[in-house]
Amino acid sequence: MLAGDFRKGSTFEYEGSVWTIVDFQHVKPGKGAAFVRTKMKNVIDGKVLERTWNPTEKLQEATIETRNMTYSYNDGELYYFMDQDFNLIPLNYDQVEDALKYIKENDNVIVKFFKGSAFSVECENFVTLRVTQADPSVKGNTATNATKEAILETGVSIQVPMFVEEGELIRVDTRTGEYMERVKG
Protein backbone atom coordinates (compact mmCIF):
# COMPACT_ATOMS: atom_id res chain seq x y z
CA MET A 1 0.00 0.00 0.00
CA LEU A 2 1.28 3.45 -0.87
CA ALA A 3 0.75 6.42 1.45
CA GLY A 4 -0.84 8.23 -1.50
CA ASP A 5 -3.62 5.58 -1.49
CA PHE A 6 -4.70 6.29 2.12
CA ARG A 7 -8.43 6.55 2.80
CA LYS A 8 -10.36 6.77 6.07
CA GLY A 9 -10.34 3.32 7.64
CA SER A 10 -7.21 2.10 5.81
CA THR A 11 -5.22 -0.21 8.09
CA PHE A 12 -1.48 -0.77 7.89
CA GLU A 13 1.54 -1.85 9.93
CA TYR A 14 3.93 0.86 11.11
CA GLU A 15 6.73 0.57 13.68
CA GLY A 16 5.52 -2.84 14.86
CA SER A 17 1.90 -1.79 15.47
CA VAL A 18 -1.31 -1.72 13.48
CA TRP A 19 -2.74 1.70 12.63
CA THR A 20 -5.93 2.92 11.00
CA ILE A 21 -6.40 6.23 9.21
CA VAL A 22 -8.83 8.49 11.08
CA ASP A 23 -8.35 11.53 8.82
CA PHE A 24 -6.10 12.40 5.88
CA GLN A 25 -5.35 15.24 3.52
CA HIS A 26 -3.36 15.24 0.28
CA VAL A 27 -1.31 18.46 0.20
CA LYS A 28 0.32 19.91 -2.93
CA PRO A 29 2.25 23.01 -1.90
CA GLY A 30 3.29 25.65 -4.47
CA LYS A 31 6.93 24.82 -3.81
CA GLY A 32 8.29 21.41 -2.96
CA ALA A 33 6.92 17.91 -3.22
CA ALA A 34 3.38 16.78 -2.44
CA PHE A 35 2.73 14.98 0.85
CA VAL A 36 -0.06 13.27 2.76
CA ARG A 37 -0.99 14.62 6.21
CA THR A 38 -2.67 11.99 8.38
CA LYS A 39 -4.23 11.47 11.77
CA MET A 40 -3.92 7.78 12.61
CA LYS A 41 -5.00 5.65 15.54
CA ASN A 42 -3.25 2.60 16.96
CA VAL A 43 -5.93 -0.11 16.84
CA ILE A 44 -4.47 -2.00 19.80
CA ASP A 45 -3.91 0.72 22.41
CA GLY A 46 -5.96 3.61 20.94
CA LYS A 47 -3.04 6.07 20.80
CA VAL A 48 -3.57 8.81 18.18
CA LEU A 49 -0.66 10.11 16.11
CA GLU A 50 -0.38 12.80 13.47
CA ARG A 51 2.21 12.24 10.74
CA THR A 52 3.07 13.37 7.23
CA TRP A 53 4.03 10.88 4.53
CA ASN A 54 5.64 10.96 1.12
CA PRO A 55 2.86 9.73 -1.23
CA THR A 56 5.22 7.11 -2.72
CA GLU A 57 6.14 5.65 0.69
CA LYS A 58 5.30 1.94 0.86
CA LEU A 59 3.59 0.39 3.90
CA GLN A 60 2.51 -3.15 4.73
CA GLU A 61 -1.30 -3.38 4.63
CA ALA A 62 -2.73 -4.98 7.78
CA THR A 63 -5.43 -7.61 7.45
CA ILE A 64 -8.07 -7.16 10.12
CA GLU A 65 -10.45 -10.07 10.62
CA THR A 66 -13.95 -9.38 11.93
CA ARG A 67 -16.23 -11.94 13.58
CA ASN A 68 -19.85 -11.70 14.65
CA MET A 69 -20.03 -12.69 18.30
CA THR A 70 -22.39 -12.48 21.28
CA TYR A 71 -21.59 -10.73 24.55
CA SER A 72 -21.96 -13.46 27.18
CA TYR A 73 -20.97 -12.14 30.60
CA ASN A 74 -18.47 -10.27 32.78
CA ASP A 75 -16.70 -11.97 35.68
CA GLY A 76 -15.51 -8.75 37.30
CA GLU A 77 -12.22 -8.57 35.42
CA LEU A 78 -12.82 -9.96 31.94
CA TYR A 79 -15.65 -9.68 29.43
CA TYR A 80 -16.52 -12.88 27.56
CA PHE A 81 -17.73 -13.06 23.96
CA MET A 82 -18.98 -16.23 22.26
CA ASP A 83 -18.63 -17.12 18.58
CA GLN A 84 -20.94 -19.36 16.54
CA ASP A 85 -18.91 -22.44 17.57
CA PHE A 86 -19.58 -21.66 21.26
CA ASN A 87 -15.95 -20.67 21.91
CA LEU A 88 -15.55 -18.00 24.60
CA ILE A 89 -13.02 -15.24 24.06
CA PRO A 90 -12.07 -13.13 27.11
CA LEU A 91 -11.24 -9.44 26.64
CA ASN A 92 -10.17 -6.84 29.19
CA TYR A 93 -11.93 -3.55 29.94
CA ASP A 94 -9.65 -1.44 27.71
CA GLN A 95 -10.59 -3.54 24.68
CA VAL A 96 -14.36 -3.26 25.23
CA GLU A 97 -14.69 0.12 26.99
CA ASP A 98 -16.44 2.02 24.17
CA ALA A 99 -18.87 -0.79 23.28
CA LEU A 100 -19.86 -1.44 26.93
CA LYS A 101 -21.85 1.79 27.03
CA TYR A 102 -24.38 0.30 24.62
CA ILE A 103 -24.35 -3.51 25.00
CA LYS A 104 -25.91 -5.89 27.46
CA GLU A 105 -25.70 -9.66 27.84
CA ASN A 106 -26.70 -11.65 24.72
CA ASP A 107 -26.28 -8.65 22.39
CA ASN A 108 -24.57 -9.24 19.04
CA VAL A 109 -21.30 -7.41 18.44
CA ILE A 110 -18.40 -7.40 15.99
CA VAL A 111 -15.04 -8.40 17.43
CA LYS A 112 -11.93 -7.38 15.47
CA PHE A 113 -8.82 -9.57 15.32
CA PHE A 114 -5.26 -9.02 14.12
CA LYS A 115 -3.09 -12.12 13.64
CA GLY A 116 -5.56 -14.19 15.68
CA SER A 117 -5.71 -11.85 18.69
CA ALA A 118 -8.87 -9.92 19.49
CA PHE A 119 -8.26 -6.21 20.03
CA SER A 120 -11.60 -4.39 19.93
CA VAL A 121 -15.37 -4.73 20.07
CA GLU A 122 -17.90 -2.72 18.07
CA CYS A 123 -21.61 -2.69 18.76
CA GLU A 124 -24.30 -2.05 16.19
CA ASN A 125 -24.73 1.56 14.99
CA PHE A 126 -28.24 1.76 16.49
CA VAL A 127 -29.34 -0.01 19.67
CA THR A 128 -32.58 -0.08 21.64
CA LEU A 129 -32.18 0.44 25.38
CA ARG A 130 -34.52 1.05 28.32
CA VAL A 131 -34.42 4.31 30.28
CA THR A 132 -33.86 3.35 33.94
CA GLN A 133 -33.68 6.83 35.41
CA ALA A 134 -35.02 10.18 34.17
CA ASP A 135 -36.56 13.21 35.79
CA PRO A 136 -40.29 13.52 35.15
CA SER A 137 -41.23 15.96 32.39
CA VAL A 138 -42.84 19.24 33.33
CA LYS A 139 -46.06 20.23 31.56
CA GLY A 140 -45.39 22.86 28.92
CA ASN A 141 -41.72 21.92 28.65
CA THR A 142 -42.21 19.28 25.96
CA ALA A 143 -42.74 21.51 22.92
CA THR A 144 -39.24 23.01 22.83
CA ASN A 145 -35.91 21.43 22.00
CA ALA A 146 -35.08 21.21 25.71
CA THR A 147 -33.36 18.05 26.87
CA LYS A 148 -32.72 16.30 30.14
CA GLU A 149 -30.32 13.65 31.35
CA ALA A 150 -31.40 10.02 31.29
CA ILE A 151 -29.57 6.93 32.48
CA LEU A 152 -29.98 3.81 30.35
CA GLU A 153 -29.98 0.17 31.44
CA THR A 154 -26.28 -0.17 30.56
CA GLY A 155 -25.43 2.69 32.93
CA VAL A 156 -24.58 5.26 30.26
CA SER A 157 -26.00 8.76 30.63
CA ILE A 158 -27.33 10.60 27.54
CA GLN A 159 -29.42 13.66 26.76
CA VAL A 160 -33.02 12.93 25.75
CA PRO A 161 -36.05 15.14 24.93
CA MET A 162 -38.16 16.23 27.90
CA PHE A 163 -41.05 13.90 26.96
CA VAL A 164 -39.01 10.68 27.43
CA GLU A 165 -40.09 8.90 30.61
CA GLU A 166 -38.45 6.36 32.88
CA GLY A 167 -39.11 2.78 31.71
CA GLU A 168 -39.46 3.66 28.00
CA LEU A 169 -37.42 2.05 25.25
CA ILE A 170 -35.38 4.40 23.07
CA ARG A 171 -33.11 4.01 20.05
CA VAL A 172 -29.58 5.41 20.42
CA ASP A 173 -26.93 6.11 17.76
CA THR A 174 -23.83 4.43 19.26
CA ARG A 175 -21.44 6.40 17.04
CA THR A 176 -22.50 9.73 18.57
CA GLY A 177 -24.30 8.69 21.77
CA GLU A 178 -27.38 10.64 20.68
CA TYR A 179 -31.04 9.87 21.25
CA MET A 180 -32.81 8.95 17.97
CA GLU A 181 -36.43 8.05 18.80
CA ARG A 182 -38.80 6.25 21.16
CA VAL A 183 -39.46 2.60 20.42
CA LYS A 184 -42.76 0.92 21.09
CA GLY A 185 -42.02 -2.11 23.21
Side-chain angles (χ1 to χ4, degrees):
M1 154 188 280
L2 295 176
D5 296 333
F6 281 160
R7 299 289 173 259
K8 282 186 182 180
S10 297
T11 54
F12 58 95
E13 294 183 50
Y14 173 67
E15 293 183 348
S17 293
V18 180
W19 298 83
T20 186
I21 298 295
V22 175
D23 199 12
F24 72 97
Q25 180 180 16
H26 291 278
V27 180
K28 295 179 184 165
K31 280 186 165 180
F35 60 92
V36 180
R37 181 179 292 135
T38 62
K39 182 185 277 188
M40 51 196 214
K41 182 178 179 181
N42 185 314
V43 298
I44 307 297
D45 65 18
K47 184 170 73 172
V48 175
L49 182 66
E50 293 187 17
R51 187 181 189 292
T52 58
W53 304 84
N54 179 329
T56 59
E57 200 167 337
K58 290 184 180 177
L59 296 151
Q60 176 65 42
E61 195 166 351
T63 304
I64 305 296
E65 178 190 352
T66 61
R67 292 188 209 160
N68 291 322
M69 302 186 84
T70 304
Y71 174 44
S72 290
Y73 66 95
N74 162 12
D75 69 2
E77 288 183 28
L78 297 173
Y79 298 83
Y80 292 87
F81 296 84
M82 187 184 316
D83 63 16
Q84 281 112 2
D85 297 329
F86 303 105
N87 297 317
L88 283 176
I89 295 178
L91 297 173
N92 63 39
Y93 179 77
D94 293 339
Q95 295 169 305
V96 300
E97 180 178 4
D98 292 336
L100 279 181
K101 297 174 190 172
Y102 305 107
I103 62 173
K104 48 193 189 305
E105 289 183 5
N106 298 317
D107 280 354
N108 293 322
V109 296
I110 294 172
V111 179
K112 292 187 172 185
F113 292 81
F114 177 69
K115 293 186 178 177
S117 296
F119 66 84
S120 81
V121 175
E122 290 181 359
C123 52
E124 296 178 10
N125 290 340
F126 301 98
V127 295
T128 300
L129 295 169
R130 186 168 305 282
V131 176
T132 57
Q133 186 178 338
D135 292 333
S137 57
V138 178
K139 188 171 182 158
N141 230 359
T142 58
T144 65
N145 286 337
T147 61
K148 63 182 178 181
E149 182 180 17
I151 297 176
L152 307 181
E153 62 186 301
T154 58
V156 70
S157 171
I158 69 166
Q159 292 296 312
V160 297
M162 296 300 280
F163 58 78
V164 173
E165 299 289 333
E166 198 171 291
E168 288 186 307
L169 290 172
I170 62 170
R171 189 174 328 279
V172 178
D173 185 335
T174 62
R175 299 164 296 187
T176 62
E178 293 178 354
Y179 164 89
M180 299 303 292
E181 62 186 354
R182 283 194 283 196
V183 176
K184 294 198 185 333

